């Protein structure tokens, strides 16, 4: 059953000091320079001198720059204020610097080194993939600001409990979307996240222990475990628990108390679970939590044991158009026209393409017709472009190869780069060019992304 969002709680919002990126969002190392450029300086009460962690320096702007970008997204401000009011006020006397671990210091160059490196690539123009020109990808901004509480203020103890950072952050991010655009939008985003989770599980394999919400990483490089699993499986668990205890009016106060209790601390999943059950001790005594299969949720690979009943209203039009394209024969393609997409939001267009990716590959005739009537190749929304290019490559349409190689070169978000490189490598006619492109650009990619793509392409 779809839940409804309650009104905001009247609380004071602390000034965050930084925001952590999603692993799959890590951009090319020049992002510090690229991201700062579109945003004029704005007045802010945030600290004026914050020493970031070295691993953050090359992947995102300082908080003041992020705040500037966020203030430009005027439609986000009221919703962000509402959502922030549901989070606890904390002291702003937190340390202004963080001493990094030695292994963090050696993995990425400083911004100055990064700028020097990119001078060697004068034709490369890094792209800010969350800037679509229509504010449709502002959820990335909401996600990173949410990390100021879930990830920075409260942090997972080890990489095995990474979902405590990311699952909670996706949960808050979608709360903001719900406050901005209505509950159906939050539900629609959750449906898209379920597909992302399914794709990750299929890539790893349904029995791969790295698809556990709490994986065992003994002898495993944590980089190898990066996927949408901690994000989307974590979100799904939190969404399920919110529905179980009676909706947002019961669960959001728990989230506030959780952050207040563990602020400036690290914790693991067992500590989180113990706090949850203690907070809801009345419901526990009534047997409400007896139905929760903790082993299946936390320590079993594959998809979650329960799929919530999300509201599919906004997805219906996407599903209908997907069915038309997947069932159309090559001699029946004249039925499609630009009017098919009228009234569809960027998110719905993305969902339409995402659903097609779950179907058998389309023919080249289908792809060329879709490009003719919808102008997909000219669309610069990164989420739409990413799925469109994947559809073309799966159809073995050579017209998608060069645009895909350009896309994986001008930006470096792992969520885009890794699947596209895998698809290109699987397309025999594109394989040699793909390997050449990767080898030429590998020194300028984020180290984690470069390492995992190298494994996918079987490159030493």
């Amino acid at each position: 059953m779809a839940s409804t969002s309650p009104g905001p709680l009247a609380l004071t919002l602390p000034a965050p000091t930084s925001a952590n990126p999603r692993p799959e969002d890590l951009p090319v190392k020049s992002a510090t320079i690229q991201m700062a450029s579109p945003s004029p300086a704005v007045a802010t009460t945030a600290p004026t001198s914050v020493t970031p962690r070295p691993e953050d320096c090359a992947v995102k702007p300082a908080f003041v720059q992020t705040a500037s970008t966020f203030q430009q997204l005027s439609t986000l401000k009221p919703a962000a204020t509402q959502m922030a009011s549901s989070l606890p006020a904390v002291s702003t006397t937190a340390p202004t610097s963080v001493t990094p671990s030695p292994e963090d210091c050696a993995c990425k160059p400083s911004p100055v080194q990064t700028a020097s490196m990119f001078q060697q690539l004068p034709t490369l123009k890094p792209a800010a993939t969350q800037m679509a020109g229509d504010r449709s990808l502002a959820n990335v901004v909401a996600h990173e600001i949410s990390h100021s509480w879930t990830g920075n203020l409260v942090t997972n103890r080890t990489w095995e409990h990474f979902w405590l950072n990311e699952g909670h952050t996706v949960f808050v991010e979608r709360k903001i979307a719900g406050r901005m655009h209505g509950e159906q939008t939050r539900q629609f985003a959750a449906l898209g996240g379920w597909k992302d989770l399914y794709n990750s599980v299929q890539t790893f394999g349904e029995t791969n222990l790295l698809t556990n919400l709490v994986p065992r990483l003994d002898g495993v490089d944590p980089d190898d475990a990066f996927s949408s699993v901690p994000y989307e499986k974590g979100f799904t668990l939190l969404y399920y628990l919110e529905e179980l205890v009676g909706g947002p009016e019961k669960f959001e106060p728990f989230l506030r108390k959780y952050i207040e209790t563990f602020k400036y601390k690290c914790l693991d999943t067992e500590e989180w679970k113990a706090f949850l059950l203690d907070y809801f001790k009345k419901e526990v005594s009534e047997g409400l939590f007896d139905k929760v299969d903790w082993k299946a949720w936390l320590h079993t690979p594959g998809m979650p044991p329960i799929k919530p009943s999300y509201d599919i209203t906004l997805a219906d039009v996407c599903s209908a158009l997907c069915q038309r394209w997947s069932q159309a024969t090559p001699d029946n393609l004249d039925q499609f026209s630009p009017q098919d997409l009228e009234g569809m939001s960027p998110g719905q267009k993305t969902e339409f393409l995402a659903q097609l990716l779950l179907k058998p590959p389309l023919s080249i005739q289908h792809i060329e017709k879709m490009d003719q009537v919808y102008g997909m190749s000219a669309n610069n929304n990164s989420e739409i472009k990413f799925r469109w290019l994947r559809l073309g490559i799966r159809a073995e349409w050579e017209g998608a190869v060069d645009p895909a190689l350009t896309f994986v070169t001008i930006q470096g978000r792992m969520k885009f780069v890794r699947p596209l490189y895998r698809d290109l490598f699987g397309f025999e006619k594109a394989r040699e060019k793909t390997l050449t492109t990767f080898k030429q650009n590998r020194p300028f990619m984020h180290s984690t992304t470069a390492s995992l793509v190298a494994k996918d392409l079987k490159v030493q």
Side-chain angles (χ1 to χ4, degrees):
M1 180 181 295
S3 58
T4 57
S5 298
L9 304 177
L11 297 171
T12 304
L13 176 66
T17 57
S18 65
N20 286 337
R22 300 185 186 196
E24 74 268 28
D25 288 347
L26 297 175
V28 209
K29 294 174 180 174
S30 67
T32 309
I33 300 168
Q34 173 71 18
M35 282 293 293
S37 59
S39 306
V42 296
T44 175
T45 57
T48 58
S49 176
V50 179
T51 302
R53 299 185 299 177
E55 67 269 33
D56 289 341
C57 291
V59 299
K60 60 172 175 50
F63 175 74
V64 174
Q65 294 166 336
T66 301
S68 174
T69 301
F70 193 70
Q71 289 192 16
Q72 290 188 71
L73 306 177
S74 57
T75 59
L76 267 179
K77 290 167 63 180
T81 303
Q82 288 180 345
M83 190 57 221
S85 70
S86 298
L87 298 172
V90 296
S91 168
T92 57
T93 58
T96 58
S97 65
V98 179
T99 302
S101 59
E103 64 269 20
D104 289 336
C105 296
C107 64
K108 304 169 190 72
S110 69
V112 174
Q113 292 170 322
T114 299
S116 175
M117 289 170 64
F118 267 88
Q119 288 176 1
Q120 301 174 46
L121 285 181
T123 60
L124 185 62
K125 298 179 180 178
T129 56
Q130 68 273 36
M131 300 298 180
D134 57 8
R135 299 186 175 123
S136 61
L137 301 181
N139 64 298
V140 178
V141 181
H143 181 95
E144 303 312 332
I145 289 179
S146 299
H147 264 309
S148 301
W149 292 273
T150 52
N152 289 7
L153 195 62
V154 179
T155 306
N156 54 294
R157 191 178 304 283
T158 71
W159 287 114
E160 292 173 328
H161 306 281
F162 188 49
W163 83 271
L164 291 173
N165 273 23
E166 299 300 347
H168 283 85
T169 299
V170 173
F171 189 74
V172 174
E173 167 200 334
R174 289 179 182 155
K175 286 283 186 180
I176 293 173
R179 297 291 209 274
M180 286 172 59
H181 303 300
E183 181 62 18
Q184 284 187 346
T185 298
R186 183 173 84 111
Q187 303 278 324
F188 183 65
L191 278 171
W194 183 269
K195 290 184 181 64
D196 290 341
L197 175 59
Y198 176 81
N199 289 333
S200 289
V201 169
Q202 293 303 304
T203 299
F204 276 117
E206 294 180 357
T207 60
N208 191 315
L209 296 181
L210 293 182
T211 64
N212 288 9
L213 189 56
V214 184
R216 293 290 301 275
L217 297 180
D218 295 339
V220 176
D221 185 340
D223 284 351
D224 292 342
F226 280 171
S227 73
S228 65
V229 170
Y231 300 84
E232 299 299 346
K233 204 170 188 178
F235 165 82
T236 306
L237 172 59
L238 294 172
Y239 183 96
Y240 164 73
L241 291 173
E242 181 176 71
E243 294 289 289
L244 179 68
V245 300
E249 63 275 8
K250 294 286 188 67
F251 200 74
E252 287 184 8
F254 157 75
L255 182 61
R256 171 190 170 185
K257 188 65 176 178
Y258 163 69
I259 294 172
E260 286 180 333
T261 300
F262 291 100
K263 62 188 177 186
Y264 307 126
K265 297 177 183 177
C266 296
L267 77 161
D268 60 29
T269 302
E270 287 306 309
E271 291 172 281
W272 168 85
K273 178 184 171 186
F275 180 78
L276 172 81
L277 296 179
D278 181 67
Y279 183 90
F280 289 108
K281 51 181 170 286
K282 177 178 178 292
E283 289 79 1
V284 169
S285 67
E286 295 170 350
L288 187 63
F289 281 83
D290 291 348
K291 62 181 70 175
V292 181
D293 187 342
W294 292 108
K295 181 178 179 181
W297 278 105
L298 302 175
H299 305 293
T300 300
M303 297 297 286
I306 294 174
K307 180 180 180 180
S309 299
Y310 298 125
D311 186 325
I312 63 172
T313 302
L314 294 179
D316 284 342
V317 64
C318 314
S319 302
L321 188 57
C322 172
Q323 285 297 109
R324 287 178 59 198
W325 276 97
S326 61
Q327 293 175 2
T329 59
D331 59 356
N332 191 29
L333 297 177
D334 288 338
Q335 63 175 294
F336 300 105
S337 72
Q339 286 68 43
D340 297 336
L341 300 185
E342 284 187 358
M344 290 179 67
S345 68
Q348 287 174 308
K349 295 173 187 177
T350 300
E351 173 66 14
F352 157 61
L353 296 174
Q355 290 192 22
L356 280 176
L357 284 169
L358 298 178
K359 302 286 186 180
L362 296 174
S363 70
I364 292 177
Q365 295 100 307
H366 281 71
I367 295 295
E368 291 179 338
K369 184 66 174 181
M370 190 180 296
D371 201 23
Q372 177 189 338
V373 297
Y374 299 159
M376 287 295 186
S377 292
N379 195 308
N380 287 321
N381 180 301
S382 59
E383 297 287 349
I384 293 173
K385 181 183 290 290
F386 167 63
R387 289 162 179 82
W388 166 244
L389 291 172
R390 295 196 76 189
L391 277 175
I393 296 165
R394 289 187 177 191
E396 299 190 341
W397 179 46
E398 294 185 54
V401 174
D402 285 344
L405 289 172
T406 298
F407 191 56
V408 298
T409 301
I410 65 172
Q411 55 78 42
R413 290 174 69 185
M414 195 189 304
K415 67 175 289 187
F416 298 143
V417 171
R418 195 177 182 192
L420 277 173
Y421 262 121
R422 279 197 299 254
D423 290 348
L424 286 161
F425 186 69
F427 184 8
E428 186 174 353
K429 291 183 179 180
R431 188 170 299 156
E432 183 176 350
K433 198 170 187 178
T434 298
L435 291 169
T436 299
T437 300
F438 172 69
K439 290 174 183 178
Q440 288 176 343
N441 291 282
R442 182 176 184 176
F444 309 100
M445 297 171 66
H446 188 279
S447 58
T448 300
T449 305
S451 173
L452 293 177
V453 171
K455 291 178 182 179
D456 293 337
L457 304 187
K458 301 177 174 58
V459 174
Q460 295 298 321

